[in-house]
Amino acid sequence: MEWLTDYKIPVGKAAKTVFDWMNDNLGGVFDAISTGLEAMIDGILWLLQTPHPFIIIALFVALTWFLQKNWKVCLGVVIGFLFILNQGYWEETTESLTLILSACVVCMGLGVPIGIAAAHRPKLYRAMVPVLDLMQTLPTFVYLIPAIVFFGLGMVPGLIATVIFVHPGGAAGGRNRLWCHAKTAAVEGGIALCLPADHGRPEPDHHAVALDGGHRGPRRCQRSWRAGRPRAEFGQHRAGL
């Protein structure tokens, strides 16, 4: 086995060369990204820490009621925030919440366009799947270490590591939702036209005829299509055709 181990593929050396080149030549790009992310983080942090904590709690309770319409969930939100205030962790909580909200904004900004592109290009999606799976398989600290080197200490490296780890879910989820929506629209269009699932040429509803020669209405036609019966079962005769 010496012949296999004596001549190692220089993966580490090549990675170090690329890493050093990026650190030396792309410093301006990393600084610009860091500045933009810091501005967004500072803005969200200002919105959460400047008002009185009770105002923030009231806003989150109102948002919870708008989304859930459940007083028990709202009560849980109030109790949770009051417990945080009681323990003296309000500032740390707002910082963590800022990091989460910032990561959501960046993930949506990147994931939605990539998901749309993947939904319209199946080959692109098939090429993306292994990369997305690998991004979620590696631990977050694997991304955090180079992020600290490129962006320095602070909340920005944590945001970058979080975005890299969470982004695959947004991209794949956006692609799947768009693809399912397009498929559902096609199916509903076939139901509206009273077409079988594999029919490629739309025709008007009046072409569907019942077994007794009478005309099937759109609702009866829709039920027959949903049951999976082919168009031929509507009758062998076509009125006026």
Side-chain angles (χ1 to χ4, degrees):
M1 296 293 293
E2 288 132 6
W3 62 271
L4 186 60
T5 58
D6 289 342
Y7 301 97
K8 296 181 180 179
I9 300 175
V11 177
K13 187 179 295 186
K16 183 178 182 303
T17 302
V18 174
F19 189 88
D20 292 339
W21 183 87
M22 293 176 63
N23 199 22
D24 295 336
N25 297 277
L26 299 180
V29 177
F30 294 137
D31 290 341
I33 295 174
S34 179
T35 302
L37 295 179
E38 283 180 356
M40 179 177 62
I41 291 172
D42 291 341
I44 298 176
L45 200 60
W46 182 85
L47 291 175
L48 293 177
Q49 291 185 346
T50 301
H52 194 277
F54 286 163
I55 298 177
I56 301 299
I57 294 174
L59 291 176
F60 275 102
V61 171
L63 178 63
T64 305
W65 176 258
F66 176 77
L67 296 175
Q68 297 292 329
K69 299 293 191 299
N70 190 327
W71 68 270
K72 296 179 181 179
V73 180
C74 295
L75 180 61
V77 172
V78 173
I79 294 175
F81 274 118
L82 292 179
F83 178 75
I84 291 171
L85 284 173
N86 175 262
Q87 297 297 308
Y89 290 121
W90 180 256
E91 183 176 351
E92 290 79 2
T93 301
T94 54
E95 291 175 355
S96 298
L97 186 58
T98 298
L99 184 61
I100 294 172
L101 294 176
S102 302
C104 290
V105 172
V106 177
C107 286
M108 290 294 293
L110 296 176
V112 171
I114 294 177
I116 293 174
H120 290 284
R121 297 168 179 83
K123 292 183 178 179
L124 175 62
Y125 179 70
R126 287 195 294 270
M128 286 170 47
V129 169
V131 180
L132 298 179
D133 292 341
L134 180 63
M135 290 170 65
Q136 286 194 312
T137 301
L138 297 177
T140 311
F141 291 104
V142 175
Y143 309 119
L144 184 59
I145 295 173
I148 291 176
V149 175
F150 288 136
F151 299 100
L153 298 175
M155 296 184 67
V156 174
L159 174 61
I160 296 294
T162 305
V163 167
I164 295 175
F165 185 77
V166 178
H167 168 69
R175 177 262 174 191
N176 291 336
R177 285 178 177 83
L178 184 61
W179 185 81
C180 291
H181 176 74
K183 185 177 181 180
T184 302
V187 170
E188 294 298 331
I191 292 174
L193 293 171
C194 195
L195 300 174
D198 57 349
H199 200 281
R201 183 172 60 89
E203 297 179 357
D205 283 341
H206 67 269
H207 284 181
V209 181
L211 295 176
D212 56 358
H215 173 69
R216 281 185 182 266
R219 300 183 68 85
R220 293 183 64 194
C221 178
Q222 179 175 342
R223 287 196 296 270
S224 298
W225 193 92
R226 286 186 183 276
R229 293 194 294 271
R231 188 185 180 87
E233 291 185 8
F234 291 154
Q236 300 295 331
H237 305 286
R238 293 175 178 269
L241 297 179

